[in-house]
Amino acid sequence: MRVAYGRGVAQVRLERITKTFGSAGAAVRAVDGVSLDVADHEFMILLGPSGCGKSTLLRMIAGLEDPTEGDIFIGDRRVNDVAPKERDVAMVFQSYALYPHKTVRANIEFPLKVRGVPRDQRSVEAKQAADVLGLGELMDRKPGQLSGGQRQRVALARAIVRRPAVFCMDEPLSNLDAKLRGETRAELVDLHRRLESTFVFVTHDQVEAMTMGSRIAVMNAGRLQQVGSPHEVYEHPATSFVAQFIGTPPMNLLPPGVLDRPDVVIGIRPEHVVMTPTGAHLANVRLVEQLGHETLVTCELVGGVAGGSRMIVRLGAEQVPPTIGQDVLLDLPAAHRHRFDAATGERLP
Ligand code: ATP
């Protein structure tokens, strides 16, 4: 079912947003000069490690925090001074924050009741939102009688009935177990397609980011590192930080100067390292992790300036893995090497 919201353009534009907490002496710069355009109907992921400022940025879009500097636009409207409830934004949190004594139906209807929507219309809208999320059978239950995944869906349904132009989601899947997370990821992608509204989704989980977002904004220490499609950030990381943050296991980075100038760091993804009798680099196997569909081999390079560096190699299921302690030879094909400035971490041509 598609739910056409028939509203205006809902792009989100952030212009040089900075947020500092605390007073001058002990100020924390949580967000530092971030400019970002989220297109109408886009599924944008804000991704980064704990404390990088992604939740603060999301909360500023929703109006729950004020920026210290910079402007926020939703559509053509500058919303810095617009109250959260006037922004046409719905926030979905990690904790579901449902009313425990109300039924699923009453929880979903609640935002409409607050708005004074008549009972009949509330009921129709709640049913439609519940159907979108497959909650139809559960309308008379209380939150305590639901699984974590079902509760999160009720929280989503409660956001949907508000028909916001923009959904802001702060790690909404992190309370779910691995299987349910996977399923709910797929449901959210489908929901986004059907709702035709703009999603801004915060996560520290790069798998979540890679599988759900149309674009990913990678943040570190309050700054934007790169904005791009999952393919772009994986294939062409703009910084060595992004190279290491995106990908499991992360990209291997060699010490500065190895295989290049002294001011250059070379990176290579585990799937591009070739274990072959003709390899140029001697390494010793330290760990072998057989995951079924692939094997991850952690090696330590032996000799030369890179000696002691760790190198993870991804082998296909059909390749016979080495044993721990074995010496192997590795090839690092030039076509798959990434170059980064050793001082700034920025990608080099
Ligand atoms: P996490 O994934 O752990 O939630 P995050 O990337 O969402 O992290 P934020 O919650 O945005 O990070 O916090 C960014 C920085 O701002 C952190 O250093 C945090 O300690 C600080 N911070 C956030 N909120 C406040 C606050 N109300 N007062 C003071 N410092 C804060």
Side-chain angles (χ1 to χ4, degrees):
M1 186 206 303
R2 254 176 205 271
V3 181
Y5 279 18
R7 47 177 76 253
V9 184
Q11 90 259 24
V12 177
R13 200 163 86 243
L14 306 176
E15 290 187 355
R16 295 181 302 282
I17 298 292
T18 292
K19 175 71 183 178
T20 49
F21 289 107
S23 49
V28 178
R29 224 173 162 78
V31 174
D32 192 359
V34 169
S35 294
L36 178 66
D37 275 341
V38 183
D40 191 24
H41 295 176
E42 184 164 13
F43 197 141
M44 173 66 84
I45 306 271
L46 304 181
L47 173 70
S50 181
C52 73
K54 54 197 185 300
S55 295
T56 303
L57 194 60
L58 189 79
R59 291 168 61 80
M60 286 192 280
I61 296 172
L64 305 176
E65 298 284 356
D66 291 325
T68 312
E69 286 168 39
D71 295 310
I72 302 173
F73 295 86
I74 297 179
D76 292 331
R77 185 160 71 136
R78 182 178 177 276
V79 295
N80 288 49
D81 304 316
V82 177
K85 63 179 185 350
E86 307 294 333
R87 285 194 187 191
D88 213 359
V89 168
M91 187 96 183
V92 182
F93 298 96
Q94 171 182 346
S95 56
Y96 329 110
L98 301 177
Y99 297 103
H101 303 299
K102 292 187 196 290
T103 60
V104 167
R105 176 179 291 106
N107 265 286
I108 298 175
E109 283 186 15
F110 190 72
L112 302 177
K113 196 170 173 184
V114 170
R115 279 190 196 167
V117 175
R119 183 185 293 260
D120 288 354
Q121 194 185 337
R122 284 201 315 254
S123 170
V124 170
E125 304 243 341
K127 176 158 188 336
Q128 193 181 30
D131 285 347
V132 165
L133 288 157
L135 291 166
E137 307 287 297
L138 308 173
M139 295 296 262
D140 295 316
R141 291 207 200 163
K142 302 268 173 69
Q145 299 168 309
L146 302 176
S147 72
Q150 289 165 338
R151 273 180 236 167
Q152 191 53 277
R153 292 216 294 271
V154 176
L156 276 168
R158 193 177 51 182
I160 288 176
V161 291
R162 296 180 49 196
R163 303 200 166 224
V166 182
F167 284 86
C168 286
M169 304 194 181
D170 195 353
E171 311 235 14
L173 308 184
S174 49
N175 283 341
L176 310 183
D177 67 38
K179 182 167 175 285
L180 203 51
R181 276 179 90 128
E183 290 167 9
T184 315
R185 275 205 304 258
E187 281 173 13
L188 273 179
V189 171
D190 192 47
L191 184 68
H192 171 255
R193 188 180 54 77
R194 284 183 290 162
L195 292 184
E196 300 182 339
S197 44
T198 306
F199 279 31
V200 186
F201 185 104
V202 160
T203 181
H204 63 270
D205 179 339
Q206 53 101 16
V207 176
E208 220 162 86
M210 295 293 281
T211 51
M212 296 196 341
S214 42
R215 284 194 304 158
I216 303 174
V218 188
M219 293 181 66
N220 186 34
R223 299 230 170 119
L224 205 52
Q225 296 269 317
Q226 183 171 10
V227 185
S229 67
H231 180 81
E232 280 163 354
V233 294
Y234 190 83
E235 296 293 334
H236 305 284
T239 64
S240 52
F241 174 84
V242 176
Q244 288 236 288
F245 198 74
I246 303 271
T248 320
M251 184 182 284
N252 297 297
L253 294 183
L254 291 166
V258 174
L259 302 177
D260 211 307
R261 302 194 316 246
D263 57 343
V264 174
V265 167
I266 291 288
I268 186 159
R269 294 230 175 256
E271 60 270 33
H272 293 141
V273 181
V274 186
M275 200 173 274
T276 164
T278 58
H281 305 274
L282 179 63
N284 186 262
V285 174
R286 292 303 166 98
L287 181 67
V288 177
E289 296 166 274
Q290 287 184 282
L291 303 176
H293 63 295
E294 63 180 17
T295 303
L296 300 177
V297 182
T298 304
C299 306
E300 202 172 281
L301 294 177
V302 179
V305 272
S309 305
R310 205 178 70 141
M311 180 72 61
I312 300 180
V313 188
R314 176 175 265 148
L315 301 179
E318 71 293 347
Q319 287 173 275
V320 181
T323 50
I324 293 174
Q326 187 181 334
D327 281 338
V328 292
L329 292 168
L330 304 179
D331 201 19
L332 313 176
H336 290 297
R337 293 180 196 166
H338 302 251
R339 302 172 73 238
F340 302 100
D341 185 303
T344 65
E346 276 173 33
R347 183 182 191 85
L348 298 168

